[in-house]
Amino acid sequence: QKTAYEIGVRLVGSEMCIRDRRIPISAEPHLLSPSDFEHLVAKIIELRTGYRTTVCGGAGDGGVDVRVYDLKDKLVGVVQCKRYEPSKTLAPMFVRELAHVKQREGVNTAYLVTTAAFSSDTRREAEAAGIKLLDGDALKRLTVVAVV
């Protein structure tokens, strides 16, 4: 049984095309490579907002995996992606790090996206810092629409 991630991109055989990347549709988000996970998150943001994204994750990314640009090409948001086992719970330190990045980058919007869950302390800190959270369950609701 294969799960298709329908996020407004075309399916090619048993793969999903995201930009020029192909991701097997049988993969759960936490099983994707870090780069494929970042590209998946970027495409979801593009399709839901209409804004342009660039993926810049990897060593030396300065805590930013995805940059979000408005229709005038102004940087308006940053995203940090954390690909972990769904049973893991992220601690508040990730929010603190992203709050610093948000301030350094001079943006109003910052998302912490994970395939795991957030602790209640993490949720409180995110609310206080103005960080938007997207956990594994929410991510699946945004992406999984069909079983083929």
Side-chain angles (χ1 to χ4, degrees), residues 2-131:
K2 297 179 182 177
T3 303
Y5 293 91
E6 175 61 57
I7 58 173
V9 293
R10 61 189 174 89
L11 295 177
V12 178
S14 64
E15 298 180 324
M16 174 179 60
C17 291
I18 296 182
R19 299 174 191 264
D20 293 325
R21 304 176 70 84
R22 295 179 189 271
I23 300 172
I25 62 172
S26 60
E28 291 292 329
H30 73 282
L31 298 176
L32 296 173
S33 72
S35 178
D36 284 345
F37 178 61
E38 291 163 358
H39 280 84
L40 175 69
V41 170
K43 184 50 89 173
I44 290 168
I45 291 168
E46 286 182 358
L47 293 168
R48 294 193 59 89
T49 66
Y51 288 173
R52 183 178 66 82
T53 63
T54 57
V55 175
C56 45
D61 65 14
V64 178
D65 292 319
V66 179
R67 294 180 186 277
V68 183
Y69 298 89
D70 69 10
L71 300 176
K72 295 180 181 176
D73 257 1
K74 177 184 176 202
L75 179 66
V76 294
V78 293
V79 182
Q80 179 61 237
C81 299
K82 298 293 182 186
R83 185 188 53 87
Y84 292 114
E85 287 294 321
S87 59
K88 182 172 175 61
T89 302
L90 269 62
M93 69 178 200
F94 295 106
V95 169
R96 291 183 206 120
E97 292 171 3
L98 187 53
H100 174 74
V101 170
K102 178 183 166 190
Q103 182 181 24
R104 184 189 73 222
E105 296 290 325
V107 296
N108 292 325
T109 304
Y111 280 91
L112 180 56
V113 180
T114 185
T115 53
F118 296 108
S119 71
S120 57
D121 288 342
T122 302
R123 290 186 182 283
R124 278 193 292 278
E125 287 221 21
E127 186 174 343
I131 304 291

